């Protein structure tokens, strides 16, 4: 057994909803409508992969019909059940049970209120021109023999069909996160229209939705500006240019890893010099996505990663066992589920890379501590009661929102109060059932119910992406490997300090110094809370307050590889109840990953208070408890539980690169704190990305992905608007660092990678000198190792007589015991010596000028 470094688990929580909207592609006359579904390959228009499918043509003259969006529903089901086989049939078998026991019941979906889609007719300017006539429109069978009916009939068909197309494209835009009849803040900042509101904005929205939907119909190709212009009249070229540029720069179109996309982006790198030099801290999803987009946008990028691998909280562990290593499985120890596939950028990547997606089924039988299956009537009754308790809390806060904002309480306190008032779950079995649902909610938020804000714990619900929840066979590290390919990533570079001023940024990592124009910090919220990175100047108080208010929770897993699948390959998930309320999250939910991991793998979740205590439990004890639970469930059925072949336990709270799993809205916090955390500081020098900077999609992999795209666009905007500050007004906080470099430009002695500055006040061989050792990184000129130390002049001479830097370093460390440090760790003695060197050189410079004047 082993303890592995953890990764962010991105759940589809008990309260997660699945919208009923799909993401269909526009249906031009030569292509059938294709929903944006998780398929291994692009749709059937790939015969010509370099040419997008001709779209319908839009006008701004004729009114359209409207289609209202259906309501959304909340689904109370486990977040990460293991996946069904490749064919996502809706069969719902459970584990082997007694004939007398009723089959497991499908989890009920709790209704979730969403703003209805504004009918397209209500938006000014949604019109259609030059529509492609469908073949049926010219059919005599449809129009009859009366010529007078033909023209009117065709006109009605054109208006109706194309109006529906506009609505379909609006639904696609909604699934990606765009509002129905207004602009996003990003669009407003980008000045996509000359005036907010009015006909121009309405027309822009239609054009934007059309371009977006057109690329989504075939994500394997590069959609050019000319292709986007084909279906819009020439007088609206400016709207097309505006929408196309916005969607391209913000990563809504032409992103990803399809060959045509890669080729088009590679060709763009040949144009012009870099816009700016960017240092990215962290090679997780946000950092990798931002790096790829920034390179495409014309920036020079370097990524610093403290681990020896990319991915951050996305971590796939390859488990192998058996006499010849023939039992293999891939376990996602961190982020593992695509929570809603409609509009999800990871779904786009899966299509481009040919990764099949496996739909998560929502059947979850529950078992009592004695191994018996929970009575279906009790299960249904408590589930309904649990959802009603949540509904009552929601109604309460709606009636007293202003009071709740000023005096927030925990969600757990509110639920317990209503439970007592309405007498819910008063007997022991019902209480265990209710505790299971509470544990599932604690899993969804990675924290205890007592920590969640009653007012804003579910503030992101209206934005959640619709569609099926899916898994990637083989693990999400397949995404990471593809995204990290060809990027300049420096591993084992733990960032200690970020210094910023009007002249740029300095980042210190692993004893090295990196200079750039901007820095993007993508470290988890847990690292910011621990203040493991020094910011100079300090972060604004507003941002520090937001970091303090938001919560960063914990979820752990135990992944166990067995010699064979004894629980039944068809089952996705099953739950286990406990009579100890304080430990309700301990191994409360099991996922079967057999159909997606490549081997007979079970994963047990540990949430809530149990997740905290789990960090101190030995792996042997943890696996032993899991086996005891499994034997209690399956042994009464006559099914033997074999000894495990391998087990892995996560410890996310002890991981120094995360200090937890993912963010949540704590008491006193709100969704606004995510936005504050996303704000840049230092007048466009320091930017922030990651799931905890995404108000709409926190605690998700796609939230991290989208935040990286967002910040790449923000950095582009700043770079294009930058005003050069006159040198005499520059007050960079690290000017004196440049001064040190200037001192070593003319060293008193240089040999190999060693440079020496002597004390100008004396020639005594016992006097200390300032030594600098500099090595070039082997991946990029920006990766330079500069270390400094004090050494007597006598030892300098001995050092210079050695052959090669390796021998010199051995002598320096082993014989002379000289301690080398980074520039920001130099002590007062070193600073004093540098002051003397500066003074001596200034005096000599003055004397030289005096002599040259002839006076």
């Amino acid at each position: 057994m082993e303890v592995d470094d953890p990764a962010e688990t991105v759940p589809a929580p008990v309260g997660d909803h699945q919208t009923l909207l799909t993401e269909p592609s526009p249906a031009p006359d030569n292509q059938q409508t294709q929903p944006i579904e998780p398929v291994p390959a692009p749709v059937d228009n790939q015969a010509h992969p370099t040419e997008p499918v001709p779209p319908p043509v839009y006008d701004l003259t004729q009114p359209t019909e409207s289609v209202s969006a259906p309501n959304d529903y909340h689904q109370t089901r486990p977040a990460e059940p293991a996946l069904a086989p490749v064919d996502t049939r809706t069969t719902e078998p459970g584990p082997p049970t007694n004939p007398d026991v009723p089959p497991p019941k499908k989890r009920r979906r709790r209704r979730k209120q969403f703003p209805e889609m504004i009918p397209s007719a209500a938006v000014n300017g949604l019109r259609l021109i030059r529509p492609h006539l469908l073949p049926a429109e010219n059919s005599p069978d449809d129009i009859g023999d009366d010529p007078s009916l033909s023209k009117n009939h065709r006109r009605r068909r054109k208006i109706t069909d194309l109006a529906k197309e506009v609505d379909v494209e609006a639904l696609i835009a909604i699934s990606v996160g765009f509002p129905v009849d207004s602009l996003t803040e990003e669009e407003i900042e980008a000045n996509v229209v000359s005036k907010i509101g009015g006909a121009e904005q309405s027309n822009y929205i239609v054009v934007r939705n059309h371009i977006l939907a057109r690329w989504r119909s075939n994500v394997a190709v590069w959609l050019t500006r000319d292709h986007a212009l084909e279906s819009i009249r020439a007088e609206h070229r400016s709207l097309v240019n505006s929408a196309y540029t916005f969607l391209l720069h913000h990563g809504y179109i032409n992103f990803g890893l399809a060959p045509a996309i890669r080729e088009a982006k590679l060709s763009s790198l040949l144009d012009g010099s870099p816009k700016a030099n960017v240092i990215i801290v962290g090679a997780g999803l946000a950092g990798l996505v931002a790096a790829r987009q920034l390179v495409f946008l014309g920036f020079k990028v370097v990524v610093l990663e403290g681990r020896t691998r990319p991915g951050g909280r996305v971590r796939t562990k390859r488990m192998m066992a058996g006499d010849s290593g023939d039992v293999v499985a891939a376990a996602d120890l961190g982020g593992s589920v695509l929570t809603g596939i409609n509009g999800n950028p990871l779904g786009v990547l899966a299509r481009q890379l040919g990764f099949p997606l496996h739909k998560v089924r929502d059947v979850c039988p529950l078992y009592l501590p004695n191994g018996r299956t929970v009575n279906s009537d009790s299960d249904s009754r408590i589930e309904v009661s649990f959802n009603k308790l949540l509904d009552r809390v929601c109604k309460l806060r709606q009636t007293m929102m202003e009071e709740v904002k000023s005096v927030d309480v925990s969600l757990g306190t509110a639920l317990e109060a209503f439970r007592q008032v309405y007498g819910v779950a008063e007997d022991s079995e019902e209480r265990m059932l209710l505790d299971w649902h509470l544990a599932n909610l604690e899993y969804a938020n990675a924290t205890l119910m007592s920590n969640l804000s009653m007012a804003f714990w579910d503030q992101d619900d209206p934005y959640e992406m619709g569609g099926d929840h899916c898994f990637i066979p083989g693990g999400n590290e397949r995404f990471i490997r593809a995204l990290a390919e060809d990027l300049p990533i420096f591993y084992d570079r733990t960032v200690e300090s970020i210094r910023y001023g009007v002249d740029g940024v300095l980042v210190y990592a692993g004893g090295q110094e990196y200079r750039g124009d901007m820095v993007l910090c993508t470290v988890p919220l847990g690292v910011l809370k621990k203040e493991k990175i020094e910011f100079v100047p300090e972060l604004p108080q507003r941002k520090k307050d937001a970091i303090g208010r938001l919560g960063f929770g914990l979820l752990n897993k135990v992944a166990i590889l067995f010699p064979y699948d004894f629980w039944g390959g068809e089952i996705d998930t099953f739950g286990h109840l406990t009579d100890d309320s304080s430990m309700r999250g301990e191994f409360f939910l099991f996922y079967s990953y057999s159909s997606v991991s490549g081997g007979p793998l079970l994963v047990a979740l540990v949430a809530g208070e149990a997740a905290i205590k789990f960090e101190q439990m030995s792996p042997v004890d943890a696996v032993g408890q899991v086996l005891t639970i499994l034997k209690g469930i399956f042994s009464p059925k006559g099914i033997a539980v074999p000894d495990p072949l391998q087990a892995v336990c996560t410890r996310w709270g002890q991981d120094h690169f995360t200090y937890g799993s993912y963010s949540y809205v704590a008491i006193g916090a709100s969704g606004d704190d995510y936005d504050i955390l996303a704000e840049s500081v230092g007048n466009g020098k320091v930017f922030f990305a990651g799931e905890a900077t995404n108000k709409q999609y926190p605690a998700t992999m796609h939230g991290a992905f989208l935040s990286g795209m967002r910040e790449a666009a923000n950095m582009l905007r700043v770079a294009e608007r930058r005003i050069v500050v006159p040198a005499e007004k520059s007050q960079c906080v690290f000017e004196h660092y440049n001064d040190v470099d200037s001192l070593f430009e003319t060293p008193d002695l240089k040999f190999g990678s060693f440079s020496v500055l002597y004390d100008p006040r004396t020639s005594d061989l016992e006097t200390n000198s300032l030594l600098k050792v500099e090595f070039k990184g082997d991946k990029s000129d920006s990766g330079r190792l500069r270390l400094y130390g004090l050494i007597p002049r006598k030892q300098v001479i001995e050092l210079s007589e050695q052959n090669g830097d390796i021998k010199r370093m051995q002598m320096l460390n082993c014989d002379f015991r000289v301690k080398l440090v980074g520039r920001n760790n130099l002590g007062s003695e070193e600073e004093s010596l540098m002051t003397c060197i500066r003074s001596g050189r200034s005096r000599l410079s003055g004397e030289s000028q005096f002599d040259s004047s002839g006076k």
Side-chain angles (χ1 to χ4, degrees), residues 192-387:
V192 295
V193 294
S194 59
K195 180 182 178 181
I196 303 300
E200 183 189 16
Q201 175 177 306
S202 299
N203 295 340
Y204 165 84
I205 291 173
V206 175
V207 171
R208 176 247 282 158
N209 293 352
H210 169 63
I211 296 174
L212 177 65
R214 184 173 181 188
W215 183 72
R216 287 272 173 159
S217 72
N218 188 355
V219 296
V221 304
W222 181 271
L223 180 68
T224 67
R225 197 181 301 267
D226 289 341
H227 289 143
L229 283 165
E230 288 176 355
S231 53
I232 307 295
R233 275 184 170 170
E235 58 263 33
H236 305 299
R237 175 181 294 270
S238 62
L239 290 179
V240 174
N241 288 335
S242 180
Y244 181 88
T245 299
F246 173 82
L247 294 172
L248 181 67
H249 289 173
H250 286 75
Y252 289 105
I253 63 172
N254 293 340
F255 69 86
L257 300 166
I261 303 293
R262 284 173 177 259
E263 182 179 351
K265 289 191 172 184
L266 183 62
S267 63
S268 71
L269 299 182
L270 304 177
D271 301 333
S273 58
K275 291 184 173 64
N277 296 323
V278 175
I279 302 167
I280 297 178
V281 181
L285 265 174
L288 295 176
V289 169
R292 299 196 78 88
Q293 184 72 355
L294 285 169
V295 169
F296 158 62
L297 294 174
F299 290 79
K300 184 177 180 181
V301 173
V302 62
V303 183
L304 305 180
E305 170 56 49
R307 303 180 192 270
T308 57
R309 60 167 180 84
R313 288 171 282 173
V314 177
R315 171 76 165 108
T316 303
K317 173 70 174 179
R318 182 177 175 84
M319 302 177 70
M320 184 180 299
D323 295 336
S324 58
D326 54 344
V327 182
V328 181
D332 273 324
L333 303 179
S336 53
V337 65
L338 276 61
T339 50
I341 200 61
N342 287 353
N344 194 321
L346 293 174
V348 172
L349 258 62
R351 292 176 64 190
Q352 292 174 334
L353 296 170
F355 295 169
L357 297 179
H358 290 269
K359 177 182 176 181
V360 173
R361 294 177 294 185
D362 57 0
V363 177
C364 182
L366 301 181
Y367 296 95
L368 294 166
N370 60 13
R372 289 192 299 106
T373 305
V374 170
N375 178 272
S376 60
D377 292 336
S378 299
D379 185 8
S380 298
R381 184 169 61 254
I382 294 301
E383 187 176 14
V384 170
S385 298
F386 170 72
N387 287 322

Side-chain angles (χ1 to χ4, degrees), residues 504-576:
V505 297
L506 280 175
V507 177
Y508 293 92
Q512 300 184 32
E513 173 189 288
Y514 299 84
R515 300 173 181 271
D517 301 304
M518 307 174 186
V519 61
L520 173 60
C521 181
T522 71
V523 300
L525 176 60
V527 175
L528 295 177
K529 281 180 168 291
K530 292 285 187 178
E531 298 182 350
K532 291 299 180 179
I533 297 179
E534 176 194 30
F535 289 89
V536 181
E538 289 188 2
L539 294 176
Q541 192 61 45
R542 166 183 170 87
K543 186 177 288 287
K544 291 197 291 187
D545 290 343
I547 291 171
R549 284 191 297 264
L550 281 174
F552 196 68
L554 184 62
L555 174 74
N556 278 311
K557 297 181 179 181
V558 178
I560 304 179
L561 181 64
F562 289 96
Y564 56 87
D565 181 348
F566 64 87
W567 56 90
E570 304 85 4
I571 191 172
D572 290 340
T573 67
F574 56 92
H576 175 257

Side-chain angles (χ1 to χ4, degrees), residues 570-622:
E570 304 85 4
I571 191 172
D572 290 340
T573 67
F574 56 92
H576 175 257
L577 279 57
T578 179
D579 53 9
D580 183 356
S581 292
S582 65
M583 296 297 287
R584 60 194 174 205
E586 185 177 52
F587 314 125
F588 80 103
L589 189 60
F590 289 81
Y591 297 147
S592 166
Y593 282 83
S594 295
S595 58
V596 293
S597 68
L601 181 71
L602 272 182
V603 174
L605 290 192
V606 191
E609 185 175 348
I612 300 173
K613 294 182 178 179
F614 178 81
E615 301 254 324
Q616 308 305 320
M617 183 185 298
S618 74
V620 174
D621 292 341

Side-chain angles (χ1 to χ4, degrees), residues 108 110 381-397 411-425 430-431 434-435 437-438 441 449 454 457:
R108 188 180 70 85
R110 187 163 65 90
R381 184 169 61 254
I382 294 301
E383 187 176 14
V384 170
S385 298
F386 170 72
N387 287 322
K388 285 184 178 179
L389 290 177
L390 288 176
D391 289 338
R392 289 188 174 103
V393 171
C394 291
K395 292 177 181 178
L396 172 65
R397 70 184 181 189
L411 177 63
T413 298
L415 286 175
E416 177 60 19
F418 279 116
R419 186 194 71 81
Q420 294 182 10
V421 168
Y422 291 97
V424 175
E430 289 182 344
R431 186 55 197 259
L434 181 62
D435 278 339
H437 287 287
L438 293 174
L441 203 55
M449 298 294 296
M454 183 191 79
W457 70 278

Side-chain angles (χ1 to χ4, degrees), residues 438-453:
L438 293 174
N440 209 5
L441 203 55
E442 290 177 330
Y443 154 46
N445 294 277
T447 193
L448 284 68
M449 298 294 296
S450 58
N451 293 334
L452 286 173
S453 164

